[in-house]
Coordinates of all heavy atoms in Angstrom, one line a residue:
M1 N -115.8 38.5 85.4 CA -115.0 37.3 85.6 C -113.7 37.6 86.3 O -113.1 38.7 86.1 CB -114.7 36.7 84.2 CG -113.8 35.4 84.4 SD -112.9 35.0 82.9 CE -113.9 33.7 82.3
V2 N -113.3 36.7 87.2 CA -112.1 36.9 88.0 C -111.0 36.1 87.4 O -111.2 34.9 87.0 CB -112.3 36.5 89.4 CG1 -111.1 36.6 90.2 CG2 -113.4 37.4 90.0
K3 N -109.8 36.7 87.3 CA -108.6 36.0 86.8 C -107.6 36.0 87.9 O -107.4 37.0 88.6 CB -108.1 36.7 85.6 CG -108.8 36.4 84.3 CD -107.8 36.1 83.2 CE -108.6 35.7 82.0 NZ -108.1 34.5 81.4
L4 N -106.8 34.9 87.9 CA -105.6 34.9 88.8 C -104.4 35.3 87.8 O -104.2 34.6 86.8 CB -105.4 33.5 89.3 CG -106.5 32.9 90.2 CD1 -106.1 31.5 90.6 CD2 -106.8 33.8 91.3
R5 N -103.8 36.4 88.2 CA -102.7 36.9 87.3 C -101.6 37.6 88.0 O -101.7 37.7 89.3 CB -103.3 37.9 86.3 CG -103.9 39.1 86.9 CD -104.5 40.0 85.8 NE -105.0 41.2 86.3 CZ -105.8 42.0 85.7 NH1 -106.3 41.7 84.5 NH2 -106.2 43.1 86.3
L6 N -100.5 37.9 87.3 CA -99.4 38.6 87.9 C -99.6 40.1 88.0 O -100.1 40.7 87.0 CB -98.1 38.2 87.2 CG -97.7 36.8 87.1 CD1 -96.5 36.6 86.2 CD2 -97.5 36.2 88.5
Q7 N -99.1 40.7 89.0 CA -99.1 42.2 89.1 C -97.6 42.5 89.4 O -97.1 42.1 90.4 CB -100.0 42.6 90.3 CG -100.0 44.1 90.5 CD -100.8 44.6 91.7 OE1 -100.7 43.9 92.7 NE2 -101.6 45.6 91.5
R8 N -97.1 43.3 88.5 CA -95.6 43.6 88.6 C -95.4 44.7 89.7 O -96.1 45.7 89.8 CB -95.1 44.2 87.3 CG -93.6 44.3 87.3 CD -93.1 44.9 86.0 NE -91.7 45.4 86.3 CZ -90.7 44.9 85.7 NH1 -90.8 43.9 84.8 NH2 -89.5 45.4 85.9
T9 N -94.4 44.4 90.5 CA -93.9 45.4 91.5 C -92.3 45.3 91.4 O -91.8 44.6 90.5 CB -94.3 45.0 92.9 OG1 -93.8 43.7 93.2 CG2 -95.8 45.1 93.0
G10 N -91.6 46.0 92.2 CA -90.2 46.0 92.1 C -89.7 47.1 91.2 O -90.4 47.9 90.7
T11 N -88.4 47.0 91.0 CA -87.7 48.1 90.1 C -87.5 47.5 88.7 O -87.7 46.4 88.4 CB -86.3 48.4 90.8 OG1 -85.5 47.3 90.8 CG2 -86.5 49.0 92.2
K12 N -86.9 48.4 87.9 CA -86.7 48.1 86.5 C -85.7 46.9 86.4 O -86.0 46.0 85.5 CB -86.1 49.3 85.8 CG -86.0 49.2 84.3 CD -85.5 50.5 83.8 CE -85.3 50.4 82.3 NZ -84.8 51.7 81.7
A13 N -84.7 46.8 87.1 CA -83.7 45.7 87.0 C -84.0 44.6 87.9 O -83.4 43.5 87.8 CB -82.4 46.3 87.3
D14 N -84.9 44.7 88.8 CA -85.2 43.6 89.8 C -86.8 43.4 89.9 O -87.3 43.9 90.9 CB -84.6 44.0 91.1 CG -84.7 42.8 92.1 OD1 -84.8 41.7 91.7 OD2 -84.7 43.1 93.3
P15 N -87.4 42.8 89.0 CA -88.8 42.6 89.1 C -89.3 41.7 90.1 O -88.6 40.7 90.4 CB -89.2 42.1 87.7 CG -88.0 41.3 87.2 CD -86.8 42.1 87.8
H16 N -90.4 42.0 90.7 CA -91.1 41.1 91.7 C -92.6 41.1 91.2 O -93.0 42.0 90.6 CB -91.1 41.7 93.1 CG -89.8 41.8 93.7 ND1 -89.3 40.9 94.6 CD2 -88.9 42.8 93.6 CE1 -88.1 41.3 95.0 NE2 -87.8 42.5 94.4
Y17 N -93.2 40.0 91.4 CA -94.6 39.9 91.0 C -95.5 39.4 92.2 O -95.1 38.5 92.9 CB -94.8 38.9 89.8 CG -94.1 39.3 88.6 CD1 -92.8 38.9 88.3 CD2 -94.7 40.2 87.7 CE1 -92.1 39.3 87.2 CE2 -94.1 40.6 86.5 CZ -92.8 40.2 86.3 OH -92.1 40.6 85.1
R18 N -96.7 40.1 92.3 CA -97.7 39.5 93.2 C -98.6 38.7 92.4 O -98.9 39.0 91.2 CB -98.5 40.7 93.8 CG -97.9 41.5 94.8 CD -98.9 42.5 95.4 NE -98.2 43.4 96.2 CZ -98.6 44.7 96.3 NH1 -99.7 45.1 95.7 NH2 -97.9 45.5 97.1
I19 N -99.1 37.6 92.9 CA -100.1 36.8 92.3 C -101.4 37.2 92.9 O -101.6 37.1 94.1 CB -99.8 35.3 92.4 CG1 -98.4 35.0 91.9 CG2 -100.9 34.5 91.7 CD1 -97.9 33.7 92.2
V20 N -102.3 37.8 92.1 CA -103.5 38.4 92.6 C -104.8 37.8 91.9 O -104.7 37.3 90.8 CB -103.5 39.9 92.5 CG1 -102.4 40.5 93.3 CG2 -103.5 40.3 91.0
A21 N -105.9 37.9 92.6 CA -107.2 37.7 92.0 C -107.7 39.0 91.6 O -107.9 39.9 92.5 CB -108.1 37.0 93.0
A22 N -108.0 39.3 90.3 CA -108.5 40.6 89.9 C -109.6 40.4 88.8 O -109.6 39.4 88.1 CB -107.3 41.3 89.3
D23 N -110.4 41.4 88.8 CA -111.4 41.5 87.7 C -110.7 41.7 86.4 O -109.7 42.4 86.3 CB -112.3 42.7 88.0 CG -113.5 42.7 87.1 OD1 -113.4 42.9 85.8 OD2 -114.7 42.4 87.6
I24 N -111.2 41.1 85.3 CA -110.6 41.1 84.0 C -110.5 42.5 83.4 O -109.7 42.8 82.6 CB -111.2 40.1 83.0 CG1 -112.6 40.5 82.8 CG2 -111.0 38.7 83.4 CD1 -113.2 39.7 81.6
R25 N -111.4 43.4 83.9 CA -111.4 44.8 83.4 C -110.4 45.7 84.1 O -110.1 46.8 83.6 CB -112.8 45.4 83.6 CG -113.9 44.6 82.7 CD -115.3 45.0 83.1 NE -115.5 44.5 84.5 CZ -116.7 44.6 85.1 NH1 -117.7 45.2 84.4 NH2 -116.9 44.1 86.3
A26 N -109.8 45.3 85.2 CA -108.9 46.1 85.9 C -107.5 46.1 85.1 O -107.1 45.0 84.6 CB -108.7 45.6 87.3
P27 N -106.8 47.2 85.2 CA -105.4 47.2 84.5 C -104.5 46.2 85.2 O -104.7 45.9 86.4 CB -105.0 48.6 84.6 CG -105.8 49.2 85.7 CD -107.1 48.4 85.8
R28 N -103.4 45.9 84.6 CA -102.4 44.9 85.1 C -101.9 45.2 86.5 O -101.8 44.4 87.3 CB -101.2 44.8 84.1 CG -100.2 43.8 84.6 CD -98.9 43.9 83.9 NE -98.2 45.1 84.2 CZ -97.0 45.4 83.7 NH1 -96.4 44.7 82.9 NH2 -96.4 46.6 84.1
D29 N -101.5 46.5 86.7 CA -100.9 46.9 88.0 C -101.9 47.7 88.8 O -101.6 48.4 89.7 CB -99.7 47.7 87.7 CG -98.6 46.9 87.1 OD1 -98.6 45.6 87.2 OD2 -97.7 47.5 86.5
G30 N -103.2 47.6 88.4 CA -104.2 48.4 89.1 C -104.9 47.6 90.3 O -104.3 46.8 90.9
K31 N -106.2 47.9 90.4 CA -107.0 47.4 91.5 C -107.1 45.9 91.4 O -107.3 45.3 90.3 CB -108.4 48.0 91.4 CG -109.2 47.7 92.6 CD -110.5 48.5 92.4 CE -111.5 48.1 93.6 NZ -112.8 48.8 93.4
F32 N -107.0 45.2 92.6 CA -107.2 43.8 92.6 C -108.1 43.4 93.8 O -108.3 44.2 94.7 CB -105.8 43.0 92.7 CG -105.0 43.3 93.9 CD1 -105.1 42.6 95.0 CD2 -104.1 44.4 93.9 CE1 -104.3 42.8 96.1 CE2 -103.3 44.7 95.0 CZ -103.4 43.9 96.1
I33 N -108.6 42.2 93.8 CA -109.5 41.8 94.9 C -108.7 41.3 96.1 O -109.0 41.7 97.2 CB -110.5 40.7 94.4 CG1 -111.3 41.3 93.2 CG2 -111.4 40.3 95.5 CD1 -112.0 40.2 92.4
E34 N -107.8 40.4 95.8 CA -107.0 39.8 96.9 C -105.7 39.3 96.4 O -105.6 38.7 95.3 CB -107.8 38.6 97.5 CG -107.2 37.9 98.7 CD -108.1 36.9 99.3 OE1 -108.9 36.3 98.6 OE2 -107.9 36.6 100.5
A35 N -104.6 39.5 97.2 CA -103.3 38.9 96.9 C -103.2 37.5 97.4 O -103.6 37.2 98.5 CB -102.2 39.8 97.5
I36 N -102.8 36.6 96.6 CA -102.7 35.2 97.0 C -101.3 34.6 97.0 O -101.1 33.4 97.3 CB -103.7 34.3 96.1 CG1 -103.3 34.4 94.6 CG2 -105.1 34.7 96.3 CD1 -104.0 33.4 93.8
G37 N -100.3 35.4 96.5 CA -99.0 34.8 96.5 C -98.0 35.8 95.9 O -98.4 37.0 95.6
H38 N -96.8 35.4 95.8 CA -95.8 36.2 95.1 C -94.8 35.4 94.4 O -94.7 34.2 94.6 CB -95.1 37.1 96.1 CG -94.3 36.4 97.2 ND1 -94.8 35.8 98.3 CD2 -93.0 36.1 97.2 CE1 -93.9 35.2 99.0 NE2 -92.7 35.3 98.3
F39 N -94.1 36.0 93.4 CA -93.1 35.4 92.5 C -92.0 36.3 92.3 O -92.2 37.5 91.9 CB -93.8 35.0 91.2 CG -92.9 34.4 90.2 CD1 -92.2 33.3 90.4 CD2 -92.9 35.0 88.9 CE1 -91.4 32.7 89.5 CE2 -92.1 34.4 87.9 CZ -91.3 33.3 88.2
H40 N -90.8 35.8 92.6 CA -89.5 36.6 92.4 C -88.7 35.8 91.4 O -87.9 35.0 91.8 CB -88.8 36.9 93.7 CG -87.7 37.8 93.6 ND1 -87.3 38.5 94.7 CD2 -86.9 38.2 92.6 CE1 -86.3 39.3 94.4 NE2 -86.0 39.1 93.1
P41 N -88.7 36.1 90.1 CA -88.0 35.3 89.1 C -86.5 35.4 89.2 O -85.8 34.5 88.7 CB -88.6 35.8 87.8 CG -89.0 37.2 88.1 CD -89.5 37.2 89.5
T42 N -85.9 36.5 89.7 CA -84.5 36.6 89.7 C -83.9 36.3 91.0 O -82.7 36.5 91.2 CB -84.1 38.1 89.3 OG1 -84.7 39.0 90.3 CG2 -84.6 38.4 87.9
A43 N -84.6 35.7 92.0 CA -84.1 35.4 93.3 C -82.9 34.4 93.3 O -82.0 34.5 94.0 CB -85.2 34.9 94.2
S44 N -83.1 33.3 92.5 CA -82.0 32.3 92.4 C -82.2 31.5 91.1 O -83.0 31.9 90.3 CB -82.2 31.3 93.6 OG -83.4 30.6 93.5
T45 N -81.4 30.5 91.0 CA -81.5 29.7 89.7 C -82.9 29.0 89.7 O -83.4 28.7 88.6 CB -80.4 28.7 89.6 OG1 -80.4 27.9 90.8 CG2 -79.1 29.4 89.5
V46 N -83.5 28.7 90.8 CA -84.8 28.0 90.9 C -85.8 29.1 91.0 O -85.9 29.8 92.0 CB -84.9 27.0 92.1 CG1 -86.2 26.4 92.1 CG2 -83.8 26.0 92.0
K47 N -86.6 29.3 90.0 CA -87.7 30.3 90.0 C -88.9 29.6 90.6 O -89.6 28.9 89.9 CB -87.9 30.8 88.6 CG -86.7 31.5 88.0 CD -86.9 31.9 86.6 CE -85.8 32.7 86.1 NZ -84.9 32.0 85.2
K48 N -89.3 30.0 91.8 CA -90.4 29.4 92.4 C -91.3 30.4 93.0 O -90.9 31.5 93.5 CB -89.9 28.5 93.6 CG -91.0 27.8 94.3 CD -90.4 26.7 95.2 CE -91.5 26.1 96.0 NZ -91.8 24.7 95.7
A49 N -92.6 30.2 92.8 CA -93.7 31.0 93.3 C -94.1 30.5 94.7 O -94.0 29.4 95.0 CB -94.8 31.1 92.4
T50 N -94.6 31.5 95.5 CA -95.1 31.1 96.8 C -96.6 31.5 96.8 O -96.9 32.6 96.6 CB -94.4 31.9 97.9 OG1 -93.0 31.6 97.8 CG2 -94.8 31.4 99.3
F51 N -97.4 30.5 97.1 CA -98.9 30.7 97.1 C -99.4 30.5 98.5 O -98.9 29.7 99.3 CB -99.6 29.6 96.3 CG -99.3 29.8 94.8 CD1 -98.3 29.2 94.1 CD2 -100.1 30.7 94.1 CE1 -98.1 29.3 92.8 CE2 -99.9 30.9 92.7 CZ -98.9 30.2 92.1
N52 N -100.5 31.2 98.9 CA -101.3 30.9 100.0 C -102.3 29.9 99.5 O -103.2 30.2 98.8 CB -102.0 32.2 100.5 CG -102.9 31.9 101.8 OD1 -103.4 30.8 101.9 ND2 -103.0 32.9 102.6
E53 N -102.1 28.6 99.8 CA -102.8 27.5 99.3 C -104.3 27.6 99.5 O -105.1 27.4 98.6 CB -102.3 26.2 99.8 CG -102.0 25.2 98.7 CD -101.3 24.0 99.3 OE1 -102.1 23.1 99.7 OE2 -100.1 24.0 99.4
E54 N -104.7 28.0 100.7 CA -106.2 28.1 101.0 C -106.9 29.1 100.1 O -107.9 28.8 99.6 CB -106.4 28.5 102.5 CG -106.0 27.4 103.5 CD -106.1 27.8 104.9 OE1 -106.8 28.8 105.1 OE2 -105.5 27.2 105.8
K55 N -106.3 30.3 100.0 CA -106.9 31.4 99.2 C -106.9 31.0 97.8 O -107.9 31.2 97.1 CB -106.1 32.7 99.4 CG -106.3 33.3 100.7 CD -105.5 34.6 100.8 CE -105.6 35.3 102.2 NZ -104.8 36.5 102.2
T56 N -105.8 30.4 97.3 CA -105.7 30.0 95.9 C -106.8 29.0 95.5 O -107.5 29.1 94.5 CB -104.3 29.4 95.5 OG1 -103.3 30.4 95.9 CG2 -104.2 29.1 94.1
L57 N -106.9 27.9 96.3 CA -107.9 26.9 96.1 C -109.3 27.4 96.2 O -110.2 27.0 95.4 CB -107.7 25.7 97.0 CG -106.4 24.9 96.8 CD1 -106.2 23.8 97.9 CD2 -106.4 24.2 95.4
S58 N -109.5 28.3 97.1 CA -110.8 29.0 97.3 C -111.2 29.7 96.0 O -112.3 29.6 95.5 CB -110.8 29.9 98.5 OG -112.0 30.7 98.5
W59 N -110.3 30.5 95.4 CA -110.6 31.2 94.2 C -110.8 30.3 93.0 O -111.7 30.6 92.2 CB -109.5 32.3 93.9 CG -109.7 33.5 94.7 CD1 -108.9 34.0 95.7 CD2 -110.7 34.5 94.5 NE1 -109.4 35.1 96.2 CE2 -110.5 35.5 95.5 CE3 -111.8 34.6 93.7 CZ2 -111.4 36.6 95.6 CZ3 -112.6 35.7 93.8 CH2 -112.4 36.7 94.8
L60 N -110.0 29.2 92.9 CA -110.2 28.3 91.8 C -111.6 27.6 91.9 O -112.2 27.4 90.9 CB -109.1 27.3 91.8 CG -107.7 27.8 91.4 CD1 -106.6 26.7 91.7 CD2 -107.7 28.2 90.0
K61 N -112.0 27.3 93.2 CA -113.3 26.6 93.3 C -114.4 27.6 93.0 O -115.5 27.2 92.6 CB -113.4 26.1 94.8 CG -112.6 24.9 95.0 CD -112.7 24.5 96.4 CE -111.7 23.3 96.7 NZ -111.6 23.0 98.1
K62 N -114.2 28.9 93.2 CA -115.2 29.9 92.9 C -115.3 30.2 91.4 O -116.2 30.9 90.9 CB -114.9 31.2 93.6 CG -115.1 31.1 95.1 CD -114.7 32.5 95.7 CE -114.8 32.3 97.3 NZ -114.3 33.6 97.9
G63 N -114.4 29.6 90.6 CA -114.4 29.8 89.1 C -113.4 30.8 88.6 O -113.5 31.1 87.4
A64 N -112.4 31.2 89.4 CA -111.4 32.1 88.8 C -110.5 31.4 87.8 O -110.2 30.2 88.0 CB -110.6 32.7 90.0
Q65 N -110.2 32.1 86.7 CA -109.4 31.5 85.7 C -108.0 32.0 85.8 O -107.7 33.1 85.7 CB -110.0 31.8 84.3 CG -111.4 31.3 84.1 CD -111.4 29.8 84.0 OE1 -110.6 29.1 83.4 NE2 -112.3 29.2 84.8
P66 N -107.0 31.1 85.9 CA -105.6 31.5 85.9 C -105.1 31.8 84.5 O -105.5 31.2 83.5 CB -104.8 30.3 86.5 CG -105.7 29.1 86.2 CD -107.1 29.6 86.2
T67 N -104.2 32.8 84.4 CA -103.6 33.1 83.1 C -102.6 32.0 82.8 O -102.3 31.1 83.7 CB -102.8 34.4 83.2 OG1 -101.8 34.4 84.2 CG2 -103.8 35.6 83.4
D68 N -102.0 31.9 81.6 CA -101.1 30.9 81.3 C -99.9 30.8 82.2 O -99.5 29.8 82.6 CB -100.7 31.0 79.8 CG -101.8 30.9 78.8 OD1 -102.8 30.2 79.2 OD2 -101.7 31.4 77.7
T69 N -99.4 32.0 82.5 CA -98.2 32.1 83.4 C -98.5 31.6 84.8 O -97.7 30.8 85.3 CB -97.6 33.5 83.4 OG1 -97.4 33.9 82.1 CG2 -96.3 33.6 84.2
V70 N -99.6 32.0 85.3 CA -100.0 31.6 86.7 C -100.3 30.1 86.7 O -100.0 29.4 87.6 CB -101.1 32.5 87.2 CG1 -101.7 31.9 88.5 CG2 -100.7 33.9 87.3
L71 N -100.9 29.6 85.6 CA -101.2 28.2 85.6 C -99.9 27.4 85.6 O -99.8 26.4 86.3 CB -102.0 27.9 84.3 CG -102.4 26.4 84.1 CD1 -103.2 25.9 85.2 CD2 -103.1 26.3 82.7
A72 N -98.9 27.8 84.9 CA -97.6 27.1 84.9 C -97.0 27.1 86.3 O -96.4 26.1 86.7 CB -96.7 27.8 83.9
L73 N -97.1 28.3 87.0 CA -96.6 28.4 88.3 C -97.4 27.5 89.3 O -96.8 26.9 90.2 CB -96.6 29.8 88.8 CG -95.7 30.8 88.1 CD1 -96.0 32.2 88.5 CD2 -94.2 30.4 88.3
L74 N -98.7 27.4 89.1 CA -99.5 26.5 89.9 C -99.2 25.1 89.8 O -99.1 24.3 90.7 CB -101.0 26.7 89.6 CG -101.7 28.0 90.1 CD1 -103.0 28.2 89.4 CD2 -101.8 28.1 91.6
K75 N -98.9 24.7 88.5 CA -98.5 23.3 88.2 C -97.1 23.0 88.8 O -96.9 21.9 89.4 CB -98.5 23.1 86.7 CG -99.9 23.0 86.2 CD -99.9 22.7 84.7 CE -101.3 22.6 84.1 NZ -101.3 22.4 82.6
K76 N -96.2 23.9 88.7 CA -94.9 23.8 89.2 C -94.9 23.6 90.8 O -94.1 22.9 91.3 CB -94.0 24.9 88.8 CG -92.5 24.7 89.0 CD -91.8 25.9 88.4 CE -90.3 25.6 88.5 NZ -89.5 26.7 87.8
D77 N -95.8 24.3 91.4 CA -95.9 24.3 92.9 C -96.8 23.3 93.4 O -97.1 23.2 94.6 CB -96.3 25.7 93.4 CG -95.9 26.0 94.8 OD1 -94.8 25.5 95.2 OD2 -96.6 26.6 95.5
D78 N -97.4 22.4 92.5 CA -98.3 21.3 92.9 C -99.6 21.8 93.5 O -100.4 21.0 94.1 CB -97.7 20.3 93.8 CG -96.5 19.5 93.1 OD1 -96.6 19.4 91.9 OD2 -95.6 19.1 93.8
V79 N -100.0 23.0 93.3 CA -101.3 23.5 93.8 C -102.4 23.1 92.8 O -103.5 22.8 93.2 CB -101.3 25.0 94.0 CG1 -102.7 25.6 94.4 CG2 -100.3 25.5 95.0
W80 N -102.0 23.1 91.5 CA -103.0 22.7 90.5 C -103.5 21.3 90.7 O -104.7 20.9 90.5 CB -102.4 22.9 89.1 CG -103.4 22.8 88.0 CD1 -103.5 21.7 87.1 CD2 -104.5 23.6 87.7 NE1 -104.5 21.9 86.3 CE2 -105.2 23.1 86.6 CE3 -105.0 24.8 88.2 CZ2 -106.3 23.7 86.0 CZ3 -106.1 25.4 87.6 CH2 -106.7 24.9 86.5
S81 N -102.5 20.4 91.0 CA -102.9 19.0 91.2 C -103.8 18.8 92.4 O -104.7 17.9 92.4 CB -101.7 18.1 91.3 OG -100.9 18.5 92.5
K82 N -103.7 19.6 93.4 CA -104.6 19.5 94.6 C -106.0 20.0 94.2 O -107.0 19.5 94.7 CB -104.0 20.4 95.7 CG -102.8 19.8 96.3 CD -102.2 20.6 97.4 CE -100.9 20.0 97.9 NZ -100.2 20.9 98.8
F83 N -106.0 21.0 93.3 CA -107.3 21.5 92.8 C -108.0 20.4 92.0 O -109.2 20.2 92.1 CB -107.2 22.8 92.1 CG -108.4 23.3 91.4 CD1 -109.5 23.6 92.1 CD2 -108.5 23.3 90.0 CE1 -110.7 24.1 91.5 CE2 -109.6 23.8 89.3 CZ -110.7 24.1 90.1
K84 N -107.3 19.8 91.0 CA -107.9 18.9 90.1 C -108.1 17.5 90.7 O -109.0 16.8 90.3 CB -107.0 18.7 88.9 CG -107.0 19.8 87.9 CD -108.3 19.9 87.3 CE -108.4 21.0 86.3 NZ -109.7 21.2 85.7
G85 N -107.3 17.1 91.7 CA -107.4 15.8 92.2 C -108.0 15.7 93.5 O -108.5 14.8 94.1

């Protein structure tokens, strides 16, 4: 099964996250299939993720399951409503 999840990058005091499609058996920061976006939570007061919409919708249509955190980011960025509606 494929999950859409966060992969941590950056330094100890300045985290960055890639949003990736990865096999559920792969470790958090390990091998992934495709990077579909990024998230920088400390960039400003507005914490916003950036998605490649085509890739994200493609993975969702193929049956990839987002984690709770990625689902919240998808809803905040209105990508989830495009998938459902």
Side-chain angles (χ1 to χ4, degrees):
M1 177 200 258
V2 176
K3 283 229 177 225
L4 301 180
R5 64 183 184 196
L6 297 176
Q7 179 183 42
R8 187 183 165 117
T9 59
T11 62
K12 186 176 181 180
D14 188 25
H16 297 264
Y17 295 94
R18 285 184 191 149
I19 302 165
V20 298
D23 189 290
I24 60 170
R25 296 171 290 188
R28 179 192 72 178
D29 296 337
K31 188 176 177 183
F32 61 92
I33 302 168
E34 185 175 26
I36 59 172
H38 64 277
F39 176 54
H40 189 157
T42 58
S44 65
T45 56
V46 178
K47 297 176 175 101
K48 185 166 171 116
T50 305
F51 290 93
N52 181 330
E53 231 174 88
E54 291 177 16
K55 289 180 182 179
T56 305
L57 292 174
S58 171
W59 278 109
L60 289 170
K61 289 176 185 173
K62 291 177 188 175
Q65 297 295 312
T67 60
D68 294 337
T69 306
V70 173
L71 180 59
L73 294 172
L74 287 169
K75 287 179 179 178
K76 192 172 186 179
D77 204 36
D78 292 330
V79 177
W80 188 252
S81 62
K82 292 176 184 176
F83 171 65
K84 286 293 185 182

